Amino acid sequence: MASLECLDESTMSSESPMTTRPPSRQTSVHWATGMRYRNLGKSGLKISCIGLGTWVNFGTQLSEETAEEILTAAYESGINVFDTADLYGGGKAEIMLGKILKKKGWRRSTYIIATKLIWTGKSDIERGLSRKQIIEGVHASLERLQLNYVDILLVNKADSMCPMEEIVRACTYCIHQGMALYWGTSRWTAMEVMEAYTVARQFNQIPPVMEETEYHMFQRDKVELSHPELFHKIGVGTMTWSPQAFGLSGRFDEGIHLISRGSIRNYSGTSDKTASDENRSPRHQAKIHQLSFLVEKLGCTLTQLYIAWCLKTDCVHCVLVGASSVGQLFDHLHALQVLPRLNTNVVNEIERILSNKPIRPPVTR
Amino acid sequence: MASLECLDESTMSSESPMTTRPPSRQTSVHWATGMRYRNLGKSGLKISCIGLGTWVNFGTQLSEETAEEILTAAYESGINVFDTADLYGGGKAEIMLGKILKKKGWRRSTYIIATKLIWTGKSDIERGLSRKQIIEGVHASLERLQLNYVDILLVNKADSMCPMEEIVRACTYCIHQGMALYWGTSRWTAMEVMEAYTVARQFNQIPPVMEETEYHMFQRDKVELSHPELFHKIGVGTMTWSPQAFGLSGRFDEGIHLISRGSIRNYSGTSDKTASDENRSPRHQAKIHQLSFLVEKLGCTLTQLYIAWCLKTDCVHCVLVGASSVGQLFDHLHALQVLPRLNTNVVNEIERILSNKPIRPPVTR
Amino acid sequence: MASLECLDESTMSSESPMTTRPPSRQTSVHWATGMRYRNLGKSGLKISCIGLGTWVNFGTQLSEETAEEILTAAYESGINVFDTADLYGGGKAEIMLGKILKKKGWRRSTYIIATKLIWTGKSDIERGLSRKQIIEGVHASLERLQLNYVDILLVNKADSMCPMEEIVRACTYCIHQGMALYWGTSRWTAMEVMEAYTVARQFNQIPPVMEETEYHMFQRDKVELSHPELFHKIGVGTMTWSPQAFGLSGRFDEGIHLISRGSIRNYSGTSDKTASDENRSPRHQAKIHQLSFLVEKLGCTLTQLYIAWCLKTDCVHCVLVGASSVGQLFDHLHALQVLPRLNTNVVNEIERILSNKPIRPPVTR
Amino acid sequence: MASLECLDESTMSSESPMTTRPPSRQTSVHWATGMRYRNLGKSGLKISCIGLGTWVNFGTQLSEETAEEILTAAYESGINVFDTADLYGGGKAEIMLGKILKKKGWRRSTYIIATKLIWTGKSDIERGLSRKQIIEGVHASLERLQLNYVDILLVNKADSMCPMEEIVRACTYCIHQGMALYWGTSRWTAMEVMEAYTVARQFNQIPPVMEETEYHMFQRDKVELSHPELFHKIGVGTMTWSPQAFGLSGRFDEGIHLISRGSIRNYSGTSDKTASDENRSPRHQAKIHQLSFLVEKLGCTLTQLYIAWCLKTDCVHCVLVGASSVGQLFDHLHALQVLPRLNTNVVNEIERILSNKPIRPPVTR
């Protein structure tokens, strides 16, 4: 079978030539924080380039007051993307988020809720990605969130045991029933996303609009090699999260340690033993060391550099951050001010330090 | 790519040859006012050839009593098209219209509500024409109007940043959900309307039924050159509005001035500085002068001539008028009596005065 | 364009060869009255071969008690088809029918309600067969009938001013919304029904399941020449009504007179002046006279012969009858007993008397 | 026309090559009972390999207390499939099942309800498999079950008088309306299931996900010859029931006798006079005798061997069992422990005893 690389835009016959649009994306800017807005992939949905994740602490570590303060600060700073999941805090993240949204009473059109179905975390009898799992999952999330619909329904991990047609039809059903406005994927391979798109076109269903994935300086291959292709060929947008942007540590290596040590581990598909070991290697520590020098020159923190650097990446439409306090959120938002300082020289310097720029393997026939 | 002119009916393969109907349209006439009814484009929806717009003053300049009087007079004169928009009066136009409709209790089948989504007027964070924007916009309009559905959902201006598929699917969704019966466009280019039609056919969605556009003696190109093609090839109907028909002034040039001076300006894509300047030119003033003589001969006002002249245009199915009093409305409706006086001689005289008959540029290859 | 006769089953490519079924229809028989059940066209819906119409008198001439008695007698005799329309008795027929159905509380699965949208009888401003007219019409009928859905939605007369796609999409919408289970046509030409089928196939909408039409000994062409083709090629079933079966008169010629004289006239597309004159002709009177002799030999009434003769016609799936009393209904039902007596000899004798057997014109090329 | 055998996967063009998955199915195991979970056919729905049927006794023979005990024991043993039908106990089986489910309050995502529409058992006027029958049938079942939806809607027996398109569209309608998540068939031939699949693909409707059928040691042809083909070509899964697994008798021959004697007879398409006679034949009795010896060696009961043997069959995804007491249920579940003992030698020994292994007739051309 033809590899992904061989897929050519001209063969995507079900997309009208009329719908092709130029890759350059217009942005508008928030007056106070300099927040930028981008279309999510080639969809019409305008999102802030930084989104707030509720992964680590909503519903568990944070008091409701602090959570409300953070959410309010985010909203007022121009963040309009709030990312959550059914399993975060065993459902408490969605409950807390919904409670705060209800209390604040913001116009529904001013924010975007993305929630994930994490079927892999369910009990044996409920595990498996099926039409039943998807529809019942969305119903349960909406009840916890006290919303009539989520903006983006994200299916977390593909299920090799479930036909793609069933997933695509179930997500389209949720959209046609008004339970979601868009659907997307999370932690899928580019090939799986492409299959979802193909099946959606085959049966005139609605294709996914985005893929959410882990992305940081030390895990670059998927986003930098595959996602531009997904964006340019089928319009799929990218949201990214990374351990350090979730405020797990001021220093990156500590963040990695936290992940490899603890409860968060289960959610992370990539932070396995090997990666963790690699992160403690002297070579890795040397890179962190050199980045610290650079950060000092730039007048920002390592985390701000991490976030700004992600924002700089081609086809990354939204970087999700976490925060355990309003202060930490503002710290992260400062990355927007760091962004303009990442000129060609700085970017080249970072590449020199990292020495891990992904290269597309040569096509062998 | 082939220009619009090269599109041939025989290539519109998804429209059955059986559905082709003759372009001549049967009309029926209101007993008292002589109001005529026409099908909107090639749809089955019968509309009065004059519709009432609520742009300028509903919800703001007019008291509820006056608004109710005007609406009642319009309804009883045989007008069955009421045009409004989410942004008119910041939402107050829809609220006032809905309140009056509820009070009057007319049978739902006796009037047609068209409302527009004016996404360009929204705040930064809500701007952008997306599935979210369209669906949430319709929900908000229906709430303000206290209606279960609008008859025609109009998308005001295309968004070059939103794929046409998303717009067409969202509008079809609103129709399938029973929130609207038809959808159409407002201030779109003929090429954009054609793209919407093509995408609707491609994905078996519902195509737009009409385009609403500015049209008057001094802005003729789009309606006279492109709209007959839209009607004959894809059945799209035309509703028009023009500054003078909205009662901005008894004299056309003053109307133009009002527009160029004030708050209404934002809504008008065409009344830019250049046009305004052009309107004040001696050449333009001379044309107005000559039209005044003609009007005297015809025994009508300049505004009545303007409206009647629009009604005379091929493929214009409905001319929207505004009114700040019942008297002004009846004044406008008198255009129906002027209409028969526009015989070939008079029409030729008008063309001679205007000297701006649009000519299709020669096809160069 | 190819004439209807040239349409070949092999060209109806969107109907799977698998769905072709033999034309012979299995029937089951009611224990008491001998009522037979047939599938409506090639659909799965089983209907009694005699149905009750509420045209003439429900909501107007009949008291509610009598109407209830007739309906109950019909139901208990095995009739499961009740035919009505929005305009019968100005809406009162549906109201009375709905009231009785509610009172009786029969299981919904034991009866079939067919109602017609008679758009031609509406006021000027509401006339026209549009998506708006169809959807609002069904809503109004359901309210009058106090039902959640009708079984068959019948569109009465095609509207040459409304594209077939709009009609087919609106009827399919009503089915998808659960407001109707099937849709059909009434007083359409075979060509119009074929167009509806074609358009339904083109856009993957639901095709019509039946055509309701006038049919009697003196108006045979459409049913006998076109309807077998509609049944065999696209599975459309036939329900018929005729003046005499509506109990307008014990003698056929009187029925015709009644029709040409009175209020019913408007609904009858065929009982025009010429036909009425023809019916009074000596030649016509002679036929009636001869039929009277035949009837005496068969031991039945003229009306019973009329009904039985209709039931005998190939591809007539249901004959609608009216009744102004339970006695008249039972009289009509006795036609089921007359049916077996219509052997080849009798049928031939009738053909000899009528001398009007329709002949398909030779195909000229 | 090509026989079923000639259908080749490569000709099923509407199924994307991407959706093809390997036939081997991953299973997970219940901690206590060893219950295994399998995907139903190639769908994403994970079902326990043993399901509980409510055929024989729910709503009739069993008290509500006993029924609740059995259901609870089944649920806690890892059974997540509960099979019922509208006609079981004249509707009382569904009512009792619904009442218990409501009382227990288990999470909806932890169990799967499959109910059957048994149209052949209806009164004359309601018989016939139509859109009306399917939709009204599901509504009635949901009301009896006090559920918003069933997981699997099963159409019991195909109706040769109803076009497949009508059945497929009605079932898809139920799924799109949220009244069911999947649909399947019961007692259909492989050819009928294939037709349903083909028609679903033709009109972009949802294909059936399973076929429920009788299967036991003395009725093997359909499941062993046709069902693997249905699974591998179109992904349809198999649920089976057999007289002995419904606890009709500890000894198989008695079960057969019970069936041939009594009220259950009507539901059984195959246990006709001939089969019954055949079962009493000396040759048959000899087989039972030899199986009894084998059972002693294996240390289990004849019924447990029957169930385990069914579970061993290729492409049987769920074996439905009945129980009149918790003890009997546990007895049946012990088949899961017998399963590993059915090694190649034992299976071969059973084949030797039965001497009825179905053989596909040679393809003659």
Side-chain angles (χ1 to χ4, degrees):
Chain A
M1 188 172 169
S3 83
L4 192 59
E5 284 168 42
C6 299
L7 287 171
D8 186 286
E9 269 187 71
S10 64
T11 67
M12 303 281 106
S13 63
S14 63
E15 195 185 6
S16 156
M18 283 180 163
T19 63
T20 311
R21 291 176 308 136
S24 70
R25 314 299 290 168
Q26 158 196 4
T27 59
S28 52
V29 180
H30 189 264
W31 62 276
T33 55
M35 180 66 71
R36 283 141 198 271
Y37 299 92
R38 299 165 173 177
N39 286 53
L40 177 58
K42 288 188 187 164
S43 86
L45 191 66
K46 268 208 179 153
I47 55 170
S48 53
C49 65
I50 292 184
L52 183 71
T54 62
W55 172 24
V56 177
N57 37 32
F58 263 64
T60 49
Q61 297 167 17
L62 295 181
S63 70
E64 205 173 303
E65 288 72 40
T66 313
E68 185 183 329
E69 279 169 29
I70 295 171
L71 206 70
T72 307
Y75 182 81
E76 289 173 355
S77 302
I79 287 179
N80 72 351
V81 174
F82 302 120
D83 178 79
T84 188
D86 52 358
L87 277 202
Y88 291 176
K92 285 186 196 151
E94 287 185 335
I95 290 172
M96 190 180 273
L97 179 59
K99 213 168 164 185
I100 298 170
L101 288 173
K102 197 169 191 185
K103 187 177 169 195
K104 302 304 290 185
W106 296 317
R107 253 207 319 284
R108 188 65 184 81
S109 51
T110 59
Y111 58 86
I112 290 158
I113 303 295
T115 197
K116 283 179 288 300
L117 293 173
I118 305 185
W119 59 275
T120 45
K122 300 284 164 68
S123 76
D124 218 57
I125 212 168
E126 292 170 88
R127 194 177 305 153
L129 191 54
S130 63
R131 183 179 184 89
K132 180 177 173 69
Q133 219 275 346
I134 292 173
I135 294 174
E136 288 176 345
V138 175
H139 274 300
S141 281
L142 291 177
E143 207 173 304
R144 281 190 294 267
L145 286 162
Q146 302 186 60
L147 292 175
N148 293 324
Y149 57 88
V150 292
D151 296 274
I152 312 174
L153 163 64
L154 295 172
V155 178
N156 193 65
K157 289 200 176 170
D159 176 5
S160 65
M161 294 303 292
C162 182
M164 192 56 83
E165 182 185 347
E166 185 169 339
I167 297 168
V168 170
R169 283 194 187 271
C171 290
T172 300
Y173 170 86
C174 291
I175 290 172
H176 282 162
Q177 290 285 315
M179 299 190 285
L181 299 180
Y182 302 87
W183 78 279
T185 60
S186 170
R187 295 164 176 262
W188 288 32
T189 66
M191 200 55 172
E192 287 165 342
V193 173
M194 182 58 90
E195 184 190 350
Y197 178 84
T198 304
V199 169
R201 288 305 181 208
Q202 184 181 353
F203 298 112
N204 200 11
Q205 306 290 300
I206 298 178
V209 83
M210 63 165 278
E211 155 71 6
E212 187 172 317
T213 197
E214 192 179 355
Y215 176 58
H216 54 75
M217 286 187 182
F218 301 98
Q219 181 163 316
R220 306 172 57 176
D221 288 29
K222 187 176 161 227
V223 166
E224 295 185 31
L225 292 185
S226 302
H227 280 230
E229 203 166 0
L230 287 179
F231 172 70
H232 290 293
K233 287 188 175 158
I234 61 174
V236 164
T238 301
M239 284 195 193
T240 68
W241 59 273
S242 60
Q244 63 278 32
F246 266 81
L248 295 174
S249 163
R251 285 184 52 209
F252 183 61
D253 47 348
E254 286 181 27
I256 293 295
H257 290 178
L258 255 170
I259 284 168
S260 59
R261 250 190 294 140
S263 59
I264 304 153
R265 203 225 165 92
N266 299 324
Y267 299 118
S268 176
T270 56
S271 303
D272 54 20
K273 203 85 199 332
T274 323
S276 175
D277 287 349
E278 218 267 326
N279 288 339
R280 288 199 205 93
S281 72
R283 204 167 150 259
H284 180 78
Q285 295 298 336
K287 290 179 187 182
I288 300 283
H289 196 66
Q290 290 184 60
L291 286 172
S292 304
F293 277 110
L294 181 65
V295 150
E296 239 167 85
K297 272 203 299 189
L298 289 167
C300 68
T301 66
L302 205 44
T303 302
Q304 285 162 0
L305 178 66
Y306 290 146
I307 297 173
W309 181 85
C310 288
L311 285 170
K312 192 89 187 166
T313 306
D314 196 32
C315 297
V316 169
H317 302 101
C318 183
V319 173
L320 297 170
V321 303
S324 56
S325 69
V326 171
Q328 198 183 27
L329 175 69
F330 284 146
D331 243 38
H332 290 347
L333 286 178
H334 193 70
L336 292 166
Q337 263 65 50
V338 177
L339 195 50
R341 297 175 219 164
L342 298 192
N343 56 30
T344 314
N345 286 344
V346 174
V347 167
N348 288 344
E349 172 69 8
I350 294 172
E351 286 296 5
R352 198 195 49 78
I353 294 171
L354 296 178
S355 308
N356 64 356
K357 194 176 171 65
I359 299 160
R360 189 182 285 272
V363 180
T364 55
R365 291 175 207 262
Chain B
M1 188 170 170
S3 83
L4 193 59
E5 285 167 39
C6 298
L7 289 170
D8 188 286
E9 268 188 71
S10 63
T11 67
M12 302 282 106
S13 62
S14 62
E15 195 185 8
S16 156
M18 283 179 162
T19 62
T20 312
R21 289 175 310 134
S24 69
R25 313 300 290 169
Q26 158 195 5
T27 60
S28 53
V29 180
H30 190 264
W31 62 275
T33 55
M35 180 67 71
R36 283 140 198 271
Y37 299 92
R38 299 165 174 177
N39 286 52
L40 178 59
K42 287 186 187 167
S43 86
L45 191 67
K46 268 207 179 156
I47 56 170
S48 53
C49 66
I50 292 183
L52 182 70
T54 62
W55 172 26
V56 178
N57 38 30
F58 263 65
T60 50
Q61 296 169 18
L62 295 181
S63 71
E64 204 172 302
E65 289 71 41
T66 314
E68 183 182 329
E69 279 170 29
I70 295 170
L71 206 72
T72 307
Y75 181 82
E76 288 173 355
S77 302
I79 287 179
N80 72 351
V81 174
F82 302 119
D83 177 79
T84 189
D86 52 359
L87 276 204
Y88 290 178
K92 285 186 196 149
E94 288 185 335
I95 290 172
M96 189 179 271
L97 180 58
K99 212 165 162 186
I100 299 169
L101 288 173
K102 195 168 191 185
K103 186 176 169 195
K104 302 304 289 186
W106 297 316
R107 254 207 318 283
R108 189 65 185 80
S109 51
T110 59
Y111 58 88
I112 290 157
I113 302 296
T115 197
K116 284 180 288 301
L117 293 175
I118 305 185
W119 60 274
T120 45
K122 301 284 165 67
S123 76
D124 218 57
I125 212 168
E126 293 170 88
R127 194 176 304 152
L129 191 52
S130 63
R131 183 178 184 90
K132 179 176 174 71
Q133 220 274 348
I134 292 173
I135 293 174
E136 288 176 345
V138 175
H139 274 300
S141 281
L142 291 177
E143 206 173 304
R144 281 190 295 267
L145 286 161
Q146 302 186 58
L147 292 175
N148 292 324
Y149 57 88
V150 292
D151 296 275
I152 312 174
L153 163 64
L154 295 172
V155 178
N156 193 66
K157 288 200 177 169
D159 176 5
S160 64
M161 293 302 292
C162 183
M164 193 55 83
E165 182 185 347
E166 185 169 339
I167 297 169
V168 170
R169 283 195 188 270
C171 290
T172 300
Y173 170 86
C174 291
I175 290 172
H176 282 162
Q177 290 286 315
M179 299 190 286
L181 299 180
Y182 302 87
W183 78 279
T185 60
S186 171
R187 295 164 175 262
W188 288 32
T189 66
M191 200 55 173
E192 287 166 342
V193 173
M194 182 58 88
E195 184 190 349
Y197 178 84
T198 304
V199 169
R201 287 305 182 207
Q202 184 182 354
F203 298 113
N204 200 13
Q205 305 290 301
I206 297 178
V209 82
M210 64 165 279
E211 154 71 8
E212 187 172 317
T213 196
E214 192 180 356
Y215 176 59
H216 54 73
M217 286 186 182
F218 301 99
Q219 181 164 316
R220 306 172 57 177
D221 287 30
K222 186 176 161 226
V223 166
E224 296 185 31
L225 292 185
S226 303
H227 280 231
E229 205 167 359
L230 288 180
F231 172 70
H232 290 294
K233 286 187 176 159
I234 60 174
V236 164
T238 301
M239 285 195 191
T240 68
W241 59 273
S242 61
Q244 64 276 32
F246 266 79
L248 294 175
S249 164
R251 284 183 54 208
F252 183 61
D253 47 348
E254 284 179 30
I256 293 295
H257 290 177
L258 255 170
I259 283 168
S260 59
R261 250 189 295 140
S263 58
I264 304 154
R265 201 223 166 97
N266 298 325
Y267 300 118
S268 177
T270 56
S271 304
D272 55 20
K273 201 88 203 328
T274 322
S276 175
D277 288 349
E278 218 268 326
N279 289 338
R280 287 198 205 92
S281 72
R283 204 165 150 259
H284 181 78
Q285 295 298 336
K287 290 179 185 180
I288 301 284
H289 196 68
Q290 290 184 60
L291 286 172
S292 305
F293 278 108
L294 180 65
V295 151
E296 239 167 83
K297 273 203 301 190
L298 290 168
C300 66
T301 67
L302 205 45
T303 302
Q304 285 162 0
L305 178 65
Y306 289 147
I307 297 173
W309 181 86
C310 287
L311 285 170
K312 193 91 186 166
T313 306
D314 196 31
C315 297
V316 169
H317 302 102
C318 182
V319 173
L320 298 171
V321 303
S324 57
S325 69
V326 171
Q328 199 185 27
L329 175 69
F330 284 146
D331 243 40
H332 289 347
L333 286 178
H334 193 70
L336 293 167
Q337 264 65 49
V338 176
L339 195 50
R341 296 175 219 162
L342 298 193
N343 57 30
T344 316
N345 286 345
V346 175
V347 167
N348 287 345
E349 173 68 8
I350 294 172
E351 285 296 5
R352 198 196 50 77
I353 294 171
L354 296 178
S355 308
N356 64 356
K357 194 177 173 65
I359 300 160
R360 187 182 285 272
V363 180
T364 55
R365 294 175 206 260
Chain C
M1 185 169 175
S3 83
L4 193 59
E5 285 168 40
C6 298
L7 288 170
D8 188 286
E9 267 186 73
S10 64
T11 68
M12 303 283 107
S13 62
S14 63
E15 194 185 8
S16 155
M18 282 180 165
T19 63
T20 311
R21 290 176 310 135
S24 70
R25 312 300 291 170
Q26 159 195 4
T27 59
S28 53
V29 179
H30 189 265
W31 61 274
T33 55
M35 180 66 72
R36 283 140 197 271
Y37 298 92
R38 298 164 174 179
N39 286 52
L40 178 58
K42 287 187 188 165
S43 86
L45 192 66
K46 268 207 179 155
I47 55 169
S48 53
C49 65
I50 292 183
L52 183 70
T54 62
W55 172 25
V56 177
N57 39 31
F58 262 65
T60 50
Q61 296 167 19
L62 295 182
S63 70
E64 205 173 301
E65 288 72 42
T66 314
E68 184 183 329
E69 279 170 29
I70 295 170
L71 206 71
T72 307
Y75 181 82
E76 290 173 354
S77 303
I79 287 179
N80 72 350
V81 174
F82 302 120
D83 177 79
T84 188
D86 53 358
L87 276 202
Y88 291 177
K92 286 186 195 151
E94 288 185 333
I95 290 172
M96 189 178 272
L97 180 58
K99 214 167 161 186
I100 298 170
L101 287 173
K102 196 167 190 187
K103 186 177 168 193
K104 302 304 290 187
W106 297 317
R107 253 206 318 283
R108 189 66 185 81
S109 52
T110 60
Y111 59 86
I112 290 159
I113 302 295
T115 197
K116 284 181 286 301
L117 293 174
I118 305 185
W119 60 275
T120 45
K122 300 284 164 68
S123 78
D124 218 56
I125 212 168
E126 293 170 89
R127 193 176 306 152
L129 191 53
S130 63
R131 183 178 183 90
K132 179 176 173 70
Q133 220 275 347
I134 291 173
I135 293 174
E136 288 176 346
V138 175
H139 274 300
S141 281
L142 291 177
E143 206 173 304
R144 282 190 294 268
L145 286 162
Q146 302 185 60
L147 292 175
N148 292 324
Y149 57 88
V150 292
D151 295 276
I152 312 175
L153 162 64
L154 294 172
V155 178
N156 193 65
K157 288 199 177 170
D159 176 4
S160 65
M161 293 303 292
C162 183
M164 192 56 83
E165 182 186 346
E166 185 169 338
I167 298 168
V168 170
R169 282 195 188 270
C171 291
T172 300
Y173 171 85
C174 290
I175 290 172
H176 283 161
Q177 290 286 314
M179 298 190 287
L181 299 180
Y182 302 87
W183 78 278
T185 61
S186 171
R187 294 166 177 262
W188 287 33
T189 66
M191 199 56 172
E192 288 166 340
V193 173
M194 182 57 89
E195 184 191 348
Y197 178 84
T198 304
V199 169
R201 287 306 182 208
Q202 185 182 353
F203 298 112
N204 200 13
Q205 305 291 299
I206 297 178
V209 82
M210 63 166 279
E211 155 70 9
E212 186 172 317
T213 196
E214 192 180 356
Y215 175 59
H216 55 74
M217 285 187 182
F218 301 100
Q219 180 164 317
R220 305 173 55 178
D221 287 30
K222 187 176 160 228
V223 166
E224 296 185 31
L225 292 185
S226 302
H227 280 231
E229 204 166 359
L230 287 180
F231 172 69
H232 290 293
K233 286 188 176 158
I234 61 174
V236 163
T238 300
M239 285 195 192
T240 69
W241 59 273
S242 61
Q244 64 275 33
F246 266 80
L248 294 174
S249 163
R251 283 183 54 207
F252 183 62
D253 47 348
E254 284 181 29
I256 294 294
H257 290 178
L258 256 170
I259 284 168
S260 60
R261 251 190 292 139
S263 59
I264 305 152
R265 202 224 166 97
N266 298 325
Y267 299 117
S268 176
T270 56
S271 303
D272 56 19
K273 201 86 204 330
T274 323
S276 175
D277 288 348
E278 216 267 326
N279 289 338
R280 286 197 207 95
S281 74
R283 203 166 152 260
H284 179 80
Q285 294 298 335
K287 289 179 186 180
I288 301 284
H289 196 67
Q290 290 184 60
L291 286 172
S292 304
F293 277 109
L294 181 64
V295 150
E296 238 167 86
K297 271 203 302 192
L298 290 169
C300 68
T301 68
L302 205 43
T303 302
Q304 285 161 0
L305 178 64
Y306 289 147
I307 296 173
W309 181 85
C310 288
L311 285 170
K312 193 89 187 169
T313 306
D314 195 30
C315 298
V316 169
H317 301 101
C318 182
V319 173
L320 297 170
V321 304
S324 57
S325 68
V326 170
Q328 199 184 27
L329 175 68
F330 285 145
D331 244 39
H332 290 346
L333 286 178
H334 192 71
L336 292 166
Q337 264 64 50
V338 176
L339 195 50
R341 296 174 220 165
L342 297 193
N343 57 30
T344 315
N345 286 344
V346 175
V347 167
N348 287 345
E349 173 68 8
I350 294 172
E351 284 296 4
R352 198 195 50 77
I353 294 171
L354 295 178
S355 309
N356 64 356
K357 193 177 174 63
I359 300 161
R360 188 183 285 271
V363 180
T364 55
R365 296 177 203 258
Chain D
M1 185 170 172
S3 83
L4 193 58
E5 286 169 39
C6 299
L7 287 170
D8 188 285
E9 267 186 72
S10 64
T11 67
M12 303 282 108
S13 63
S14 62
E15 195 186 6
S16 155
M18 283 179 163
T19 63
T20 311
R21 290 176 309 134
S24 71
R25 313 300 289 169
Q26 159 195 3
T27 58
S28 52
V29 180
H30 189 265
W31 60 277
T33 54
M35 180 67 71
R36 284 140 197 272
Y37 298 92
R38 300 164 173 180
N39 286 52
L40 178 58
K42 288 188 187 163
S43 86
L45 192 66
K46 269 209 179 155
I47 55 170
S48 54
C49 66
I50 292 183
L52 183 71
T54 62
W55 173 25
V56 178
N57 38 30
F58 262 64
T60 49
Q61 296 168 16
L62 295 182
S63 71
E64 206 172 300
E65 288 73 39
T66 313
E68 185 183 328
E69 279 169 29
I70 295 170
L71 207 70
T72 307
Y75 181 81
E76 289 172 354
S77 302
I79 287 179
N80 71 352
V81 174
F82 302 120
D83 178 79
T84 187
D86 53 358
L87 276 204
Y88 291 176
K92 284 185 196 153
E94 288 185 334
I95 291 172
M96 190 179 271
L97 180 58
K99 214 167 162 183
I100 298 169
L101 287 173
K102 197 169 190 184
K103 186 176 169 195
K104 303 304 290 186
W106 297 317
R107 253 208 317 285
R108 189 63 184 84
S109 51
T110 58
Y111 58 86
I112 290 159
I113 302 296
T115 196
K116 283 180 287 301
L117 293 174
I118 306 186
W119 59 274
T120 45
K122 300 283 165 68
S123 76
D124 217 57
I125 212 168
E126 292 170 88
R127 193 176 307 154
L129 191 53
S130 62
R131 183 178 183 91
K132 179 177 173 71
Q133 220 274 346
I134 292 172
I135 293 174
E136 288 176 345
V138 175
H139 274 301
S141 280
L142 291 178
E143 207 172 304
R144 281 191 294 267
L145 285 162
Q146 301 185 61
L147 292 175
N148 293 324
Y149 58 88
V150 292
D151 296 275
I152 313 174
L153 163 64
L154 295 172
V155 178
N156 193 66
K157 287 199 176 171
D159 176 5
S160 65
M161 293 303 292
C162 182
M164 192 56 83
E165 182 185 346
E166 185 169 339
I167 297 168
V168 170
R169 281 195 188 270
C171 290
T172 300
Y173 170 85
C174 291
I175 291 172
H176 283 162
Q177 290 286 314
M179 299 190 285
L181 300 180
Y182 301 87
W183 78 278
T185 61
S186 170
R187 294 166 177 262
W188 288 32
T189 65
M191 199 55 172
E192 288 166 341
V193 173
M194 183 57 90
E195 184 190 350
Y197 178 84
T198 304
V199 169
R201 288 305 182 206
Q202 185 181 355
F203 298 113
N204 199 13
Q205 305 291 300
I206 298 178
V209 81
M210 63 164 280
E211 155 71 8
E212 186 172 318
T213 197
E214 191 179 356
Y215 176 58
H216 54 74
M217 285 188 182
F218 302 99
Q219 181 164 315
R220 306 173 56 176
D221 287 31
K222 188 177 160 225
V223 166
E224 295 185 32
L225 293 185
S226 302
H227 280 231
E229 204 166 1
L230 288 180
F231 173 69
H232 290 294
K233 287 188 176 158
I234 61 174
V236 164
T238 300
M239 284 195 193
T240 68
W241 58 272
S242 61
Q244 64 275 33
F246 265 81
L248 295 175
S249 162
R251 285 183 52 208
F252 183 61
D253 48 348
E254 284 180 30
I256 294 294
H257 290 177
L258 255 170
I259 283 168
S260 60
R261 250 190 292 139
S263 59
I264 304 154
R265 204 224 164 96
N266 297 325
Y267 298 116
S268 176
T270 55
S271 305
D272 55 20
K273 202 87 201 327
T274 322
S276 174
D277 287 349
E278 217 268 325
N279 288 338
R280 285 199 206 93
S281 72
R283 204 166 150 260
H284 180 79
Q285 295 298 337
K287 289 180 185 179
I288 301 283
H289 196 67
Q290 290 184 61
L291 286 172
S292 304
F293 277 109
L294 180 64
V295 150
E296 240 167 85
K297 272 204 302 193
L298 290 168
C300 68
T301 67
L302 206 43
T303 302
Q304 284 162 0
L305 178 65
Y306 290 148
I307 297 173
W309 181 85
C310 288
L311 285 170
K312 192 89 186 167
T313 306
D314 195 31
C315 297
V316 169
H317 301 101
C318 182
V319 173
L320 297 170
V321 303
S324 57
S325 68
V326 171
Q328 198 183 26
L329 175 70
F330 284 147
D331 244 38
H332 290 346
L333 286 178
H334 192 70
L336 292 167
Q337 263 65 50
V338 176
L339 196 51
R341 296 174 219 164
L342 298 193
N343 58 29
T344 316
N345 285 344
V346 175
V347 168
N348 287 345
E349 171 70 8
I350 293 172
E351 285 296 5
R352 198 196 50 76
I353 295 171
L354 295 178
S355 308
N356 64 356
K357 193 175 171 64
I359 300 161
R360 190 183 284 272
V363 180
T364 56
R365 295 177 205 258

